[in-house]
């Protein structure tokens, strides 16, 4: 499967929104070329390998590095990672800064795993250039996203990020827009 070059990608962020603002953010980070590095789905459950467990562990280092950020619900999937991050009112950082840290530290740790543990090598990039985010505007949206994260492994065959998904895929973006 071929993906469009970076130059043809749509804009990922809301114009004129302060990504340092207090609130909850739904984040999705996808591996480069959607390669399944973190494990596999079996009986609708995510089975993480060592590198998947590393992703999970590094997620919680965000709170150490950025004390104003709380790591909430998350799921490690074979080729992507979903999470909800909460930025509190006294925040000096932004979602882009936090995500740059996460992608950087996980890439560094993955390179160590390649060298020391024989993890699968990656081609040029571990993660896609950007990440997807949605600002969580209300409690209905928050509950929907929590449920989406919890059920993500059981819906792997309907996940558009799964290169072998069914024809009937989840359209989370349209659902989130309806809940705003």
């Amino acid at each position: 499967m071929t993906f469009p070059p970076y130059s043809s990608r749509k804009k990922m962020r809301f114009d004129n929104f302060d990504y340092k603002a207090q609130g909850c953010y739904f984040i999705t980070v996808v591996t480069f070329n959607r390669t399944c590095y973190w494990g596999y789905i079996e009986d609708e459950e995510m089975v993480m390998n060592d590198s998947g467990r590393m992703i999970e562990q590094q997620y919680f280092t965000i709170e150490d590095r950025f004390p104003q950020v709380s790591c909430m619900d998350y799921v490690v999937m074979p080729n992507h990672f979903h999470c909800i991050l909460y930025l509190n009112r006294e925040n000096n950082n932004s979602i882009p800064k936090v995500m740059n840290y996460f992608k950087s530290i996980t890439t560094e740790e993955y390179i160590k795993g390649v060298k020391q543990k024989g993890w699968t090598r990656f081609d040029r990039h571990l993660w896609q250039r950007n990440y997807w985010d949605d600002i969580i505007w209300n409690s209905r949206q928050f509950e929907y996203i929590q449920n989406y994260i919890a059920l993500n492994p059981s819906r792997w065959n309907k996940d558009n990020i799964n290169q072998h998904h069914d024809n009937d895929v989840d359209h989370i973006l349209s659902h989130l827009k309806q809940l705003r």
Side-chain angles (χ1 to χ4, degrees):
M1 180 174 274
T2 305
F3 301 99
Y6 292 140
S7 60
S8 66
R9 291 187 179 192
K10 66 180 180 165
K11 188 170 176 156
M12 303 284 285
R13 308 286 162 264
F14 284 99
D15 287 331
N16 302 317
F17 184 83
D18 180 5
Y19 281 86
K20 291 181 180 181
Q22 178 180 0
C24 290
Y25 300 82
F26 176 43
I27 309 290
T28 300
V29 190
V30 181
T31 60
F32 189 71
N33 287 332
R34 300 182 184 191
T35 304
C36 294
Y37 293 117
W38 318 136
Y40 57 93
I41 302 294
E42 183 176 284
D43 296 328
E44 298 185 350
E45 295 287 329
M46 177 60 188
V47 179
M48 281 188 278
N49 56 25
D50 287 343
S51 60
R53 285 186 286 279
M54 177 274 297
I55 296 299
E56 182 177 54
Q57 291 167 352
Q58 293 305 318
Y59 176 55
F60 292 104
T61 69
I62 291 171
E63 292 178 343
D64 297 331
R65 175 76 182 232
F66 304 98
Q68 311 88 349
V69 178
S70 296
C71 295
M72 301 179 77
D73 301 62
Y74 70 95
V75 65
V76 178
M77 294 295 289
N79 64 357
H80 64 282
F81 177 75
H82 293 297
C83 66
I84 298 174
L85 293 174
Y86 174 74
L87 273 62
N88 75 23
R89 186 180 343 220
E90 298 165 11
N91 181 43
N92 298 331
N93 298 294
S94 65
I95 288 295
K97 187 173 181 180
V98 171
M99 292 314 300
N100 285 340
Y101 164 78
F102 177 76
K103 289 171 67 177
S104 175
I105 193 68
T106 54
T107 300
E108 288 174 22
E109 291 300 313
Y110 193 83
I111 290 169
K112 288 179 191 174
V114 169
K115 292 177 181 176
Q116 298 169 2
K117 300 175 183 176
W119 293 354
T120 304
R121 293 186 170 278
F122 59 90
D123 183 27
R124 296 178 298 180
H125 306 282
L126 184 60
W127 298 106
Q128 288 184 1
R129 179 183 73 157
N130 219 327
Y131 58 90
W132 180 80
D133 72 74
D134 203 342
I135 302 153
I136 301 176
W137 299 102
N138 58 53
S139 60
R140 289 184 341 162
Q141 216 180 15
F142 185 83
E143 289 172 12
Y144 176 83
I145 293 166
Q146 280 186 310
N147 191 48
Y148 181 84
I149 287 172
L151 295 176
N152 206 233
S154 67
R155 300 189 55 77
W156 177 238
N157 288 333
K158 296 186 179 300
D159 195 326
N160 197 34
I161 300 173
N162 175 0
Q163 293 184 31
H164 306 290
H165 61 74
D166 297 341
N167 290 333
D168 179 29
V169 299
D170 288 333
H171 296 284
I172 188 169
L173 290 176
S174 61
H175 292 296
L176 290 174
K177 287 178 183 175
Q178 290 173 358
L179 295 171
R180 285 190 189 136

